[in-house]
Amino acid sequence: MTLEDKLKKTIRDVPDFPRPGIMFKDISPIMLDSELSSEIIEHLYSMYKTKQIDAVAGIESRGFLFGYPLAIRLGVPFILIRKEGKLPYQKISHSYELEYGKAVVEMHVDAVAKGQRILVHDDLLATGGSATAAAQLIKKCGGVICGFNFLVSLDFLNGKKVLNKECESIISLINY
Amino acid sequence: MTLEDKLKKTIRDVPDFPRPGIMFKDISPIMLDSELSSEIIEHLYSMYKTKQIDAVAGIESRGFLFGYPLAIRLGVPFILIRKEGKLPYQKISHSYELEYGKAVVEMHVDAVAKGQRILVHDDLLATGGSATAAAQLIKKCGGVICGFNFLVSLDFLNGKKVLNKECESIISLINY
């Protein structure tokens, strides 16, 4: 079975979460399978090992799960993109619109060095709002976005067009 | 230099976060050092490889950072202990007291199998409130707590006494 098929089989659809009408893609069953987890990290490593990536940035919380192991495997720094109020040191913030209301992401100012080529990782790409916000933080600190990576892309929500950069996902879904 | 010394040198003290009078232990500089990160995971693996652990549970968010790589390295499932409202599937909750107010942690009911021996991991042990709450969730689902693990233990807050189980940390601090 291909990795793509294994992921499709393992990710669980949960209807009406977090709101009625949304089919949530629950990746937590992947975490219960250490062999599959390991295979995903090796797959991500093989995708990026020759791409001159200087650091991986992961978006809290689920972006920490594969982002950090990938960074370690690549032998590069891992940058934490966190929700508002979580990071203790000098930081910058970026707020962005959600369907209902606003969200804020933050990053330590010393997490990115000027000119560093950074891969932004999260578990799932929907409309691209949080990935775009993460990229804004990195660019404000002088980093260069060299691409975006997700386990799952919900292609019918057009996030890839919004990001407008090299954007890879292990599985792409054309509908819920 | 020992791993303990490297960690002490890398972890950053941030005064008055999240409240005046608290000296916050900021582990984010560890994430920027992939070699140190890798060494921590190998150290944790060597501590637990012979201890018959059936799964590792990590507490959101910072407990995901080392908990998941450790579980993968041990070849066992990783159980997500998350904040309220984050998990989409059937779950159980446990609320516990904080100095000011309450907090709730949640776990999917199918994340733990009856009789499984589970190591609870988080980045830092303070008073032991969230680790105790995580252990309650696991026990409610029939799991057996075989120990607790932290990168840093603030021993002057007496969390180890509260947990009252085998409890390991790479560094133990006797004051801020």
Side-chain angles (χ1 to χ4, degrees):
Chain A
M1 207 189 296
T2 65
L3 180 58
E4 192 181 334
D5 287 340
K6 285 182 197 169
L7 274 182
K8 282 184 179 168
K9 208 180 129 203
T10 307
I11 291 170
R12 173 164 57 192
D13 282 350
V14 182
D16 299 320
F17 186 88
R19 291 192 307 278
I22 305 283
M23 181 67 83
F24 190 84
K25 300 291 170 186
D26 177 17
I27 65 161
S28 69
I30 298 172
M31 274 88 238
L32 298 177
D33 184 337
S34 66
E35 204 174 313
L36 177 58
S37 299
S38 195
E39 194 177 334
I40 291 168
I41 294 159
E42 284 309 302
H43 178 83
L44 294 174
Y45 172 67
S46 70
M47 284 169 73
Y48 292 104
K49 65 184 174 184
T50 61
K51 295 216 171 164
Q52 292 183 285
I53 287 165
D54 297 322
V56 176
I59 301 172
E60 183 172 17
S61 296
R62 292 194 303 268
F64 292 178
L65 291 164
F66 289 99
Y68 190 33
L70 171 60
I72 293 170
R73 188 71 180 83
L74 289 167
V76 300
F78 181 63
I79 298 162
L80 304 175
I81 308 287
R82 299 203 65 180
K83 295 185 173 74
E84 194 171 19
K86 299 286 186 181
L87 288 171
Y89 190 63
Q90 292 169 44
K91 60 201 172 184
I92 53 166
S93 302
H94 188 85
S95 80
Y96 62 104
E97 302 291 325
L98 296 176
E99 199 180 341
Y100 303 98
K102 262 186 168 182
V104 175
V105 286
E106 298 186 330
M107 186 181 78
H108 278 155
V109 291
D110 64 347
V112 169
K114 203 161 179 243
Q116 260 185 331
R117 290 169 48 84
I118 293 165
L119 176 72
V120 176
H121 168 82
D122 204 354
D123 66 325
L124 184 130
L125 173 62
T127 60
S130 51
T132 301
Q136 290 296 331
L137 288 178
I138 289 163
K139 285 190 265 185
K140 276 185 201 174
C141 286
V144 177
I145 304 300
C146 61
F148 295 91
N149 172 269
F150 306 91
L151 297 189
V152 181
S153 164
L154 304 179
D155 283 359
F156 52 98
L157 296 177
N158 292 317
K160 283 181 182 170
K161 278 183 199 151
V162 170
L163 296 179
N164 194 27
K165 273 270 176 189
E166 187 172 320
C167 180
E168 304 273 3
S169 61
I170 301 178
I171 60 180
S172 295
L173 302 175
I174 54 166
N175 56 46
Y176 276 128
Chain B
M1 209 190 295
T2 65
L3 180 58
E4 194 181 333
D5 287 339
K6 285 182 196 169
L7 275 181
K8 282 184 178 166
K9 208 180 128 201
T10 306
I11 291 171
R12 173 164 56 192
D13 283 350
V14 183
D16 301 319
F17 186 88
R19 291 192 307 277
I22 304 284
M23 181 67 83
F24 191 85
K25 300 291 170 187
D26 177 19
I27 65 161
S28 69
I30 298 173
M31 274 88 236
L32 298 178
D33 184 337
S34 66
E35 206 174 309
L36 177 59
S37 299
S38 196
E39 195 177 334
I40 291 168
I41 294 159
E42 283 311 300
H43 177 83
L44 295 174
Y45 171 66
S46 70
M47 285 170 72
Y48 293 103
K49 65 184 174 185
T50 60
K51 295 215 170 165
Q52 292 184 286
I53 287 164
D54 297 322
V56 176
I59 301 173
E60 185 174 16
S61 295
R62 292 193 304 266
F64 292 179
L65 291 165
F66 289 99
Y68 190 34
L70 172 61
I72 293 171
R73 189 71 180 84
L74 288 167
V76 301
F78 181 64
I79 297 162
L80 304 175
I81 307 286
R82 299 203 65 181
K83 296 187 171 73
E84 193 171 21
K86 299 286 186 181
L87 289 171
Y89 190 63
Q90 291 169 47
K91 60 200 173 186
I92 53 166
S93 302
H94 189 84
S95 80
Y96 61 105
E97 301 292 325
L98 296 177
E99 200 180 340
Y100 304 98
K102 262 185 167 181
V104 175
V105 286
E106 298 186 331
M107 187 181 76
H108 277 155
V109 292
D110 63 348
V112 169
K114 203 160 178 247
Q116 258 185 333
R117 290 170 46 85
I118 292 165
L119 176 72
V120 176
H121 167 81
D122 204 354
D123 66 325
L124 184 130
L125 173 62
T127 60
S130 51
T132 302
Q136 290 296 332
L137 287 177
I138 290 164
K139 285 190 265 186
K140 276 186 200 172
C141 286
V144 177
I145 303 299
C146 61
F148 295 91
N149 171 269
F150 306 90
L151 297 191
V152 182
S153 164
L154 304 180
D155 282 0
F156 52 99
L157 295 177
N158 291 316
K160 284 182 181 168
K161 279 183 199 152
V162 170
L163 296 178
N164 194 27
K165 273 270 176 189
E166 187 173 318
C167 181
E168 305 272 5
S169 59
I170 301 178
I171 61 180
S172 296
L173 302 175
I174 55 166
N175 56 45
Y176 276 129

